[in-house]
Amino acid sequence: GMYVCGPTVYNDVHIGNCRTFISFDVIYRYLLHQGYKVRYVRNITDVGHLENDADSGEDKIAKKAKLENLEPMEIVQKYTNGFHDVMKAFNVLPPSIEPTATAHLVEQIETTQQIIDKGFAYVSNGSVYFDVEKFAKSNSYGELSGRKIDELISATRENLDGQDDKKSSLDFALWKKASPEHIMQWNSPWSKGFPGWHLECSVMSTKYLGEQFDIHGGGMDLKFPHHECEIAQSRTCSGHDPVNYWMHTNMLLLNGQKMAKSTGNFILPDEILTGDNKVLSKAFSASVVRFFNMQANYRSILDFSSDALEASEKGYLKLMDALSSLANLSTQNSSSINISEWKQKCYAAMNDDFNTPVLISHLFEGVKFINQIKEDKASITAEDLVIFATTMNAFVFDVLGLLNDVKEQSSDKIDGVVALLIKLRKEARENKEWDLSDQIRDELLAIGIQLKDGREGTTYSMS
């Protein structure tokens, strides 16, 4: 069982957001590759996530709906579709289940009542808040993020003014009473309102994965307070920790600063794929961007830049070129390369906390083997070649999830070259340079490109 906090669908996902989903896609792929049956749940937050991740202010989706003069669910659908398009472009496998917060309101209301009944939540003016200080007296709070409860309580007591309904600013909302102008609200035993952001993930994860499951993931910025609050809620309901392994992806930097929509320091996937941006020197393919994301372990900070992407593109093309040679390698009666040892190193890298950069270094060791065999500087048996080719393809395509779009790129280049030659041939014919016109046609035909003249102009086909 694996649960990953999905997007709040009020805007386009930027490439920093994508790093989390690409990283967990690799983890998902590797677990499948190793033969595990995986139920992967990645939610869609479509209500309850307020500005600045707080318990007051506007709902991010409702705010966007007002700005675009649309219904909130139109915003949800628009940006959910956009998110799915981006995930498809980056070859991210869909999760097993993709629940939405609004589809689980009944369960959230039931869980809120359960926490009230256990004495760890209180109703205040129609809203329901989790009592963190009371919970902390008999449970640990803050262990995941390394926060000390005494320091947190001390800080909240200094900021009690203006907390309105809360006993402490450390408390968080399970259910919020909606103000009259709030356009997303539902009936509950306490008020007409909406669920708290933290509660949604606790409810959806336990509904589909049980009270205790294997992996819970998300971005590093969700560790506190989001995931700490999830632990407190789930532990209150079940009496034990909900998750065996918490995994967090680190930041993707841009210009040395954290990517964030709030600061304007971000770049969108479409801007990278089309080259329509002021950050990069040119457009880059989705596989190159995906490959770039694996240059660092998911827990490490990664700096996004044009130079870094160009380096990744060179590595990606080198890898694809080598893989295209695999089928044509000649075999010998003996192997001078220890394929078994190399294969073990590839698996050891991924078994060590899904260490993709170390895996990639071993894959380039495989590229070196391919070149040595091509140059007759190394030998490989037919049996070892099958193991080698199977392992290379499995890690590059099945586990890392790369696509070989080099052929597509080459096709675009051919289109451009042929278009230029058609233009030159047209100019030659207009200038009555018949020999040059025929030479262009005949030489293209000699390499399998046939020109066809028609009323609409000249087209071509390849044999």
Side-chain angles (χ1 to χ4, degrees):
M2 182 168 78
Y3 184 91
V4 174
C5 291
T8 300
V9 283
Y10 73 102
N11 212 332
D12 295 311
V13 287
H14 60 64
I15 195 62
N17 305 136
C18 293
R19 186 188 184 191
T20 293
F21 305 121
I22 291 171
S23 296
F24 280 100
D25 181 60
V26 173
I27 292 165
Y28 180 36
R29 286 171 175 272
Y30 186 62
L31 293 172
L32 293 173
H33 174 72
Q34 287 285 54
Y36 286 97
K37 181 181 178 182
V38 185
R39 179 176 290 167
Y40 176 19
V41 182
R42 188 188 66 209
N43 76 297
I44 295 289
T45 296
D46 56 356
V47 70
H49 195 171
L50 307 187
E51 295 176 288
N52 302 315
D53 300 346
D55 280 333
S56 60
E58 279 196 273
D59 185 292
K60 293 183 177 185
I61 291 165
K63 183 179 180 180
K64 189 71 169 182
K66 290 177 183 176
L67 287 172
E68 296 195 14
N69 196 28
L70 295 171
E71 283 290 327
M73 286 302 123
E74 284 185 273
I75 293 295
V76 166
Q77 193 65 51
K78 174 182 177 181
Y79 291 109
T80 299
N81 290 344
F83 171 68
H84 288 157
D85 289 344
V86 169
M87 292 298 99
K88 187 175 181 180
F90 286 125
N91 199 29
V92 172
L93 296 175
S96 314
I97 303 171
E98 192 174 53
T100 63
T102 54
H104 296 78
L105 288 162
V106 171
E107 294 91 337
Q108 290 169 80
I109 290 170
E110 289 173 348
T111 300
T112 299
Q113 187 61 57
Q114 186 179 357
I115 296 172
I116 292 172
D117 293 343
K118 287 180 178 287
F120 288 101
Y122 57 91
V123 182
S124 178
N125 193 28
S127 294
V128 184
Y129 295 99
F130 189 94
D131 193 329
V132 172
E133 289 189 42
K134 186 174 181 181
F135 173 81
K137 288 177 182 177
S138 55
N139 296 271
S140 59
Y141 180 84
E143 280 188 341
L144 182 67
S145 58
R147 310 292 177 104
K148 294 182 179 178
I149 187 64
D150 292 341
E151 294 175 3
L152 290 170
I153 291 171
S154 176
T156 61
R157 283 175 180 158
E158 294 173 6
N159 297 290
L160 278 175
D161 291 340
Q163 285 303 311
D164 299 326
D165 304 326
K166 292 185 185 182
K167 292 179 182 178
S168 164
S169 60
L170 198 57
D171 297 345
F172 57 89
L174 300 175
W175 184 268
K176 279 288 290 182
K177 179 181 179 180
S179 57
E181 64 273 12
H182 199 97
I183 56 178
M184 301 178 77
Q185 49 184 279
W186 293 264
N187 290 319
S188 80
W190 315 285
S191 64
K192 202 164 188 177
F194 53 91
W197 173 43
H198 309 308
L199 182 67
E200 297 170 358
C201 285
S202 286
V203 167
M204 289 185 281
S205 61
T206 55
K207 178 179 174 70
Y208 296 109
L209 300 175
E211 290 184 348
Q212 193 163 30
F213 54 94
D214 300 295
I215 295 170
H216 192 315
M220 189 73 74
D221 56 331
L222 297 180
K223 225 181 221 190
F224 185 87
H226 186 53
H227 289 160
E228 291 286 12
C229 294
E230 279 192 60
I231 292 171
Q233 292 164 157
S234 297
R235 193 182 286 167
T236 297
C237 292
S238 68
H240 53 71
D241 287 329
V243 177
N244 295 333
Y245 301 97
W246 287 90
M247 302 175 68
H248 296 91
T249 55
N250 215 321
M251 292 183 290
L252 191 62
L253 303 181
L254 179 63
N255 298 324
Q257 300 293 323
K258 178 186 174 182
M259 282 199 200
K261 296 189 186 88
S262 57
T263 62
N265 190 53
F266 66 92
I267 185 168
L268 300 177
D270 280 352
E271 294 173 335
I272 301 167
L273 302 181
T274 62
D276 185 16
N277 63 80
K278 297 179 181 179
V279 177
L280 306 176
S281 59
K282 61 172 188 172
F284 292 92
S285 74
S287 280
V288 168
V289 177
R290 187 178 171 105
F291 189 56
F292 160 78
N293 271 275
M294 297 163 198
Q295 302 301 305
N297 182 266
Y298 70 92
R299 289 180 291 104
S300 302
I301 292 173
L302 185 58
D303 204 351
F304 189 90
S305 69
S306 196
D307 288 346
L309 278 174
E310 286 179 22
S312 290
E313 185 176 54
K314 288 178 183 176
Y316 165 76
L317 293 173
K318 185 177 180 181
L319 188 58
M320 291 301 130
D321 182 58
L323 286 171
S324 67
S325 304
L326 273 171
N328 300 318
L329 292 180
S330 56
T331 59
Q332 305 292 332
N333 293 326
S334 63
S335 291
S336 60
I337 302 166
N338 191 330
I339 295 301
S340 177
E341 181 182 329
W342 168 83
K343 179 180 177 180
Q344 287 176 359
K345 288 193 294 185
C346 290
Y347 279 97
M350 287 301 287
N351 291 343
D352 182 18
D353 198 17
F354 308 95
N355 204 325
T356 54
V358 174
L359 170 64
I360 288 170
S361 71
H362 296 321
L363 294 177
F364 276 106
E365 187 181 357
V367 171
K368 183 180 177 182
F369 293 161
I370 291 169
N371 291 332
Q372 288 175 338
I373 295 166
K374 283 168 65 177
E375 296 165 7
D376 294 326
K377 293 179 181 178
S379 60
I380 190 168
T381 64
E383 184 181 357
D384 276 353
L385 180 56
V386 170
I387 296 169
F388 178 54
T390 302
T391 305
M392 281 288 287
N393 280 289
F395 276 109
V396 172
F397 300 118
D398 297 341
V399 175
L400 296 184
L402 299 176
L403 296 173
N404 189 350
D405 56 10
V406 176
K407 291 179 181 177
E408 185 180 328
Q409 292 176 7
S410 300
S411 177
D412 291 341
K413 290 177 181 178
I414 289 171
D415 287 340
V417 170
V418 175
L420 175 61
L421 290 171
I422 288 173
K423 180 182 176 184
L424 293 175
R425 179 171 173 264
K426 181 182 177 185
E427 291 175 356
R429 295 175 75 181
E430 289 172 350
N431 295 329
K432 299 185 178 180
E433 296 174 343
W434 310 117
D435 289 344
L436 177 57
S437 169
D438 291 346
Q439 183 184 0
I440 292 171
R441 180 198 63 206
D442 294 344
E443 291 195 9
L444 284 173
L445 185 61
I447 59 172
I449 299 173
Q450 183 177 10
L451 298 184
K452 299 176 182 178
D453 296 318
R455 292 181 180 179
E456 303 299 323
T458 303
T459 59
Y460 80 92
S461 61
M462 296 180 67
S463 58

